[in-house]
Amino acid sequence: MADVAGADVQPIPVNIAGQPGMVVLNALRTLRCVDELHSEFIKWTKYDHRADLAGQYRQLTKLVLDEAKIPRDAQIFRIEGSLVELVVSEAMKDAMERVGCLGAKFIELQTSGTRSHA
């Protein structure tokens, strides 16, 4: 998976009894790429019990990404302003499945816009 994602992930070795060689991957890249016009979401406000998160996504019930804001080399990233979602490319998903990645649930996402060719 590190071969696919490159510098966008940080492998962290962990010791789990009965599971030698386990590694947790920390996604390092964060992108502001939600198409808010076509997505459905709720944001935290300063009046919620987590006022420190005001302006961030509290819930993303329909996530549509703006493809023009996603660099071509992005294989795995977090969504800026969200504590939950982790987005992976098809190549990264395939790599995760090949190595028997535990705990991942893949959901196909919609995109809008067109990629920039800059």
Side-chain angles (χ1 to χ4, degrees):
M1 292 186 298
D3 290 342
V4 174
D8 287 343
V9 293
Q10 172 190 23
I12 303 170
V14 294
N15 294 319
I16 300 174
Q19 299 290 327
M22 297 297 284
V23 174
V24 172
L25 289 182
N26 180 29
L28 301 174
R29 187 183 278 197
T30 302
L31 297 176
R32 175 176 236 139
C33 59
V34 175
D35 178 343
E36 290 190 350
L37 184 63
H38 297 102
S39 295
E40 295 173 7
F41 58 89
I42 299 170
K43 288 189 175 183
W44 291 96
T45 71
K46 64 182 181 179
Y47 304 106
D48 293 320
H49 67 279
R50 289 296 310 267
D52 59 311
L53 297 175
Q56 295 187 35
Y57 297 106
R58 181 175 183 167
Q59 181 179 10
L60 282 158
T61 53
K62 178 183 175 188
L63 176 58
V64 178
L65 302 178
D66 184 342
E67 191 174 3
K69 295 180 180 177
I70 302 171
R72 287 196 178 278
D73 68 339
Q75 300 296 322
I76 181 170
F77 59 89
R78 296 185 183 283
I79 294 174
E80 185 177 307
S82 176
L83 299 174
V84 179
E85 292 75 19
L86 184 63
V87 179
V88 299
S89 67
E90 192 70 31
M92 188 66 179
K93 175 184 175 284
D94 292 345
M96 292 170 75
E97 290 175 335
R98 274 194 306 276
V99 298
C101 181
L102 302 174
K105 178 181 178 184
F106 299 104
I107 300 168
E108 190 168 342
L109 296 176
Q110 293 179 314
T111 58
S112 65
T114 57
R115 281 196 185 268
S116 62
H117 298 296

